[in-house]
Amino acid sequence: GLKVAQVVAGSPAAIAALRVGDVVVAVAGEPMGSATSLQRWMVEEAIGQPVEITVWRNGALVDVIAVPRELGD
């Protein structure tokens, strides 16, 4: 999994209620074992489309929905 090190206020991660310390284990049902596997999801086709993210938090699996968006200037 991928440990969440920072959540920027107002970001899609913040809106989805991801927390620092969460461990992302799957995105849209696909296991995440590296930053590369997550980056494959952050492509143009994903922008604006809701995606389920499964995280390990406080000893339990938690599902959240995030909507990726273009990075601001």
Side-chain angles (χ1 to χ4, degrees), residues 27-71:
V27 175
E30 183 175 319
M32 294 290 118
S34 69
T36 303
S37 55
L38 181 59
Q39 288 171 339
R40 282 185 293 181
W41 281 100
M42 299 301 120
V43 295
E44 190 172 323
E45 294 81 25
I47 302 300
Q49 302 299 316
V51 62
E52 183 179 73
I53 300 172
T54 303
V55 299
W56 182 256
R57 178 187 296 161
N58 298 326
L61 291 174
V62 177
D63 292 324
V64 298
I65 303 294
V67 182
R69 67 172 188 237
E70 291 281 345
L71 294 175

Side-chain angles (χ1 to χ4, degrees), residues 4-20 69 71:
V4 176
Q6 180 182 17
V7 178
V8 176
S11 69
I15 293 166
L18 286 172
R19 301 178 188 168
V20 171
R69 67 172 188 237
L71 294 175

